[in-house]
């Protein structure tokens, strides 16, 4: 009985080692990489209201919206992680402000496109204004404001002839690596939304 267990363990161990010996390629190549700085995931912003304030993280909200909008516009889009590379990299910088007097959410998303190792192609700023009340389902108003701002930025990107010519052109030998994000300036931590 022990001999059978030993043979089974050696067989399982051998097959596991066979899979471990195969090289793993972590470099995924996409058409477009999307990058949002970590500060937008780790530092929440505060929307002010005389009686009730609301704290939220911009990164997860904008990532979900931008992924769907950019995928619809450019096809193969991935979030910038590890050793990935793509034809271009888009750095998204979200901002949101709430004016309680007029009950208006003001969203702005700056989309900067880069190719190669830091060569700037274009910057487009999407704006949106959404009328809503901070005290009633603020997540839905925030998502709606960012959806309109991202859609505006993507529409500007698609209207940019230089960017579209580059994106539809032939594949480059040296793709844009995700590691180039270390060249981007570190933003100041925003304690408030303005």
């Amino acid at each position: 009985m022990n001999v059978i267990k030993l043979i089974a363990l050696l067989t399982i161990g051998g097959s596991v080692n066979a899979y471990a010996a195969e090289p793993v390629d972590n470099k995924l190549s996409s058409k477009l990489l999307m990058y949002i700085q970590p500060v937008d995931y780790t530092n929440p912003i505060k929307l002010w209201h005389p009686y009730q304030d609301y704290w939220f993280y911009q990164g997860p909200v904008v990532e979900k919206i931008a992924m769907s909008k950019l995928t619809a516009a450019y096809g193969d889009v991935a979030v910038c992680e590890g050793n990935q590379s793509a034809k271009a990299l888009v750095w998204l910088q979200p901002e949101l402000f709430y004016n309680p007097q007029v009950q208006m959410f003001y969203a702005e998303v700056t989309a900067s496109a880069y190719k190669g190792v830091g060569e700037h192609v274009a910057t487009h700023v999407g704006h949106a204004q959404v009328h809503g009340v901070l005290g009633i389902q603020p997540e839905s108003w925030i998502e709606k404001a960012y959806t309109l701002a991202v859609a505006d930025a993507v529409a500007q990107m698609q209207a940019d002839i230089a960017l579209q010519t580059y994106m539809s052109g032939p594949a480059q030998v040296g793709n844009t690596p995700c590691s180039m994000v270390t060249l981007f300036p570190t933003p100041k931590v925003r304690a408030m939304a303005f």
Side-chain angles (χ1 to χ4, degrees):
M1 190 65 164
N2 288 337
V3 173
I4 295 173
K5 288 181 182 177
L6 182 61
I7 292 172
L9 286 174
L10 289 174
T11 306
I12 292 171
S15 64
V16 169
N17 286 338
Y19 288 115
E22 292 179 12
V24 178
D25 186 15
N26 288 336
K27 278 192 154 181
L28 300 174
S29 184
S30 299
K31 187 172 184 180
L32 187 67
L33 288 175
M34 176 180 69
Y35 176 72
I36 301 171
Q37 290 202 331
V39 72
D40 291 320
Y41 292 90
T42 58
N43 292 40
I45 66 165
K46 181 178 183 180
L47 300 180
W48 297 85
H49 190 275
Y51 305 109
Q52 176 182 355
D53 298 329
Y54 184 75
W55 290 86
F56 79 102
Y57 296 94
Q58 298 182 102
V61 177
V62 173
E63 179 183 324
K64 180 180 80 169
I65 295 166
M67 181 61 84
S68 66
K69 297 287 184 191
L70 289 171
T71 301
Y74 293 100
D76 189 15
V77 178
V79 176
C80 192
E81 294 175 348
N83 294 331
Q84 293 176 319
S85 64
K87 192 166 190 175
L89 185 139
V90 174
W91 177 20
L92 298 174
Q93 297 171 295
E95 290 186 34
L96 189 75
F97 174 74
Y98 178 70
N99 185 340
Q101 294 176 331
V102 293
Q103 297 178 337
M104 189 76 69
F105 290 87
Y106 298 93
E108 181 178 292
V109 176
T110 304
S112 300
Y114 295 88
K115 65 179 180 177
V117 184
E119 186 180 342
H120 183 259
V121 180
T123 296
H124 299 285
V125 182
H127 297 279
Q129 296 179 8
V130 173
H131 182 72
V133 181
L134 186 62
I136 301 173
Q137 297 181 338
E139 300 89 8
S140 65
W141 302 117
I142 291 168
E143 188 169 331
K144 186 175 182 182
Y146 274 135
T147 300
L148 294 173
V150 169
D152 184 28
V154 171
Q156 291 176 32
M157 289 171 65
Q158 289 185 305
D160 186 337
I161 296 171
L163 179 61
Q164 290 307 315
T165 302
Y166 174 73
M167 292 302 292
S168 62
Q172 302 293 321
V173 175
N175 277 347
T176 307
C178 190
S179 60
M180 73 163 279
V181 300
T182 58
L183 302 174
F184 293 156
T186 305
K188 297 175 184 174
V189 175
R190 295 181 300 267
M192 300 176 208
F194 53 86

